[in-house]
Every structure is written in C-alpha cells, then in structure tokens.
Amino acid sequence: VQLQAFGGGLVQAVGSLRLSCAASGLTFSSNTMGWFRQAPGKEREFVAAISRSGGSRIYTDSVKGRFTISRDSAKNTVSLQMNSLKPEDTAVYYCAAGPFVTRAPEVYDYWGQGTEVTVSS
C-alpha cells in the first residue's frame, strides 16, 4: 500500500493550497480517507476525513468553513482544498486510509509520507 501526498508549499496568509494524495495497492472504495497534520513541536492532529462513498465528511473545528475534503474514486485520490490559510495551519500534512470515519489516528491503517505546508503572515 502506498499513499503519496503532494501539493504542499509556501503560501501567504489568506491564500489557498490544494493537497492531494494518490493511493495505490489498496481497494480505494473500501477505505475512509483522512488528513492529519503535525506542527513543529506538537502532536499529530486530525484535520478532516471522508467516508468511502464521499457522503460523510468531518472536520476539526479550526478548519471548518475553510477546508474541504473530497475524493475521486476514478483516480484513487483524496484532496484537501485549503482556503483562507492562517499561519497556525503551518504543519506537515499526512493522508491516511482506514476502515471508518473517525478522528482517532490509531484507527487508520495506512499513512502517507507527508507534505509540508508553510503559511507566512
């Protein structure tokens, strides 16, 4: 199983970025997909997750209304559209695959390598 995240970079505050994660080696349609992030000196935290069908999405409170998670089953990808970025969004972002929608990282079976997002003020 391989999850490859990309799309990170340096952006100014209030700007936008779109992260994507390409999945291979698993049955994409059978997995919930999630995004987590880890800021320097902090623990990894949940950002967003989307159900197998795409019909259910959950977000951490700090990104609601700014971030949107989506999935493309034809391309086996999950994306995170990030708008109105803030310096506190600076982190390494990881995609993950798991059996059901949850904020708990220990439930996710597979993890990508991470892509770095830096938001300057």
Side-chain angles (χ1 to χ4, degrees):
V1 175
Q2 189 171 22
L3 301 177
Q4 187 166 4
F6 54 95
L10 173 64
V11 63
Q12 289 188 328
V14 309
S16 298
L17 275 178
R18 185 177 180 86
L19 306 183
S20 292
C21 174
S24 60
L26 53 73
T27 304
F28 187 72
S29 60
S30 297
N31 282 268
T32 284
M33 301 300 296
W35 285 97
F36 290 77
R37 66 187 180 186
Q38 187 167 17
K42 296 187 177 181
E43 293 188 352
R44 188 171 300 190
E45 67 168 346
F46 170 79
V47 176
I50 186 168
S51 62
R52 288 171 286 182
S53 69
S56 177
R57 308 174 192 192
I58 59 173
Y59 299 90
T60 192
D61 286 347
S62 63
V63 308
K64 284 181 181 176
R66 301 189 297 121
F67 290 11
T68 302
I69 189 171
S70 61
R71 64 188 295 157
D72 185 337
S73 295
K75 297 181 179 179
N76 283 9
T77 59
V78 59
S79 296
L80 187 68
Q81 178 66 43
M82 306 186 295
N83 299 328
S84 301
L85 283 161
K86 303 175 181 180
E88 51 263 44
D89 294 317
T90 294
V92 178
Y93 284 71
Y94 299 88
C95 60
F100 54 85
V101 174
T102 178
R103 290 173 170 80
E106 61 269 21
V107 173
Y108 291 81
D109 300 311
Y110 307 107
W111 292 82
Q113 85 288 0
T115 185
E116 189 169 3
V117 173
T118 302
V119 184
S120 63
S121 58

